[in-house]
Amino acid sequence: VVQLMASGGESVQAGGALRLSCATSGLTTSDRISRTIAWFHEAPGKERWGVAVLYIPSGKTDYSEGAKGRFTISQDLAKSTVDLQMNGLKYEDTGMYYCAAALGDLYGGRQFNHRRYENWSQGTLVTVSS
C-alpha cells in the first residue's frame, strides 16, 4: 500500500525559498516497477496542477513551465522522501501543495494532470507574501 505525507509548507516573502518533503511508504526502486511521483499546486479557486515530476526508477524529472529553473524535485532514498526545493518564490506560488503517485510512466502532459494519479498526500500550505 502506497502512503504519502507532505510537509514543509510555511509563510515566506516573495523571492524566498522553501523545501517541501513527501514521506513515502510502499514505494521502492528495488522492485523495478515504474512509477510517476509528482508535486501538485492548488492555488485558491483554481484546479490542482502538477509542477514537478519524478520518474522511478529512472530518476528522470520534468517540470511545468512555471516551475522550470526555480523548482527541483529529488528523491532521498535513505529517508524515503521525495522533496521539492522551491527557490525564487512568487506570490502566485501561494496555495496548497500535494505529492502524488501513479503506477507507470506518465507523459504527453498527463504527468501534470491530477486525474492520472491514484495515491495522494494531505496538503501542505505555502503562503508567499509580496
Side-chain angles (χ1 to χ4, degrees), residues 104-124:
D105 292 336
L106 300 177
Y107 289 103
R110 294 181 300 162
Q111 66 270 35
F112 300 118
N113 187 332
H114 65 88
R115 297 175 183 83
R116 300 293 182 173
Y117 289 78
E118 301 95 32
N119 304 105
W120 288 89
S121 70
Q122 87 294 354
T124 186

Side-chain angles (χ1 to χ4, degrees), residues 65-102:
E65 287 300 316
K68 285 179 181 177
R70 299 190 301 129
F71 294 3
T72 302
I73 188 171
S74 61
Q75 184 181 24
D76 188 325
L77 293 173
K79 296 180 180 179
S80 296
T81 62
V82 176
D83 299 333
L84 182 68
Q85 178 66 41
M86 304 189 294
N87 299 327
L89 283 163
K90 304 176 182 179
Y91 174 75
E92 50 265 39
D93 295 321
T94 293
M96 294 294 285
Y97 283 77
Y98 303 85
C99 58

Side-chain angles (χ1 to χ4, degrees), residues 6-87:
S7 63
E10 291 182 10
S11 295
V12 295
Q13 289 191 331
L18 273 180
R19 188 175 186 87
L20 305 183
S21 185
C22 178
T24 69
S25 63
L27 295 177
T28 176
T29 57
S30 63
D31 58 10
R32 307 300 294 177
I33 294 176
S34 296
R35 291 186 175 92
T36 306
I37 313 297
W39 279 96
F40 282 78
H41 173 219
E42 186 173 318
K46 295 189 177 180
E47 186 177 9
R48 192 176 301 184
W49 194 250
V51 296
V53 177
L54 174 72
Y55 297 95
I56 294 175
S58 69
K60 292 181 180 179
T61 58
D62 196 7
Y63 299 91
S64 67
E65 287 300 316
K68 285 179 181 177
R70 299 190 301 129
F71 294 3
T72 302
I73 188 171
S74 61
Q75 184 181 24
D76 188 325
L77 293 173
K79 296 180 180 179
S80 296
T81 62
V82 176
D83 299 333
L84 182 68
Q85 178 66 41
M86 304 189 294
N87 299 327

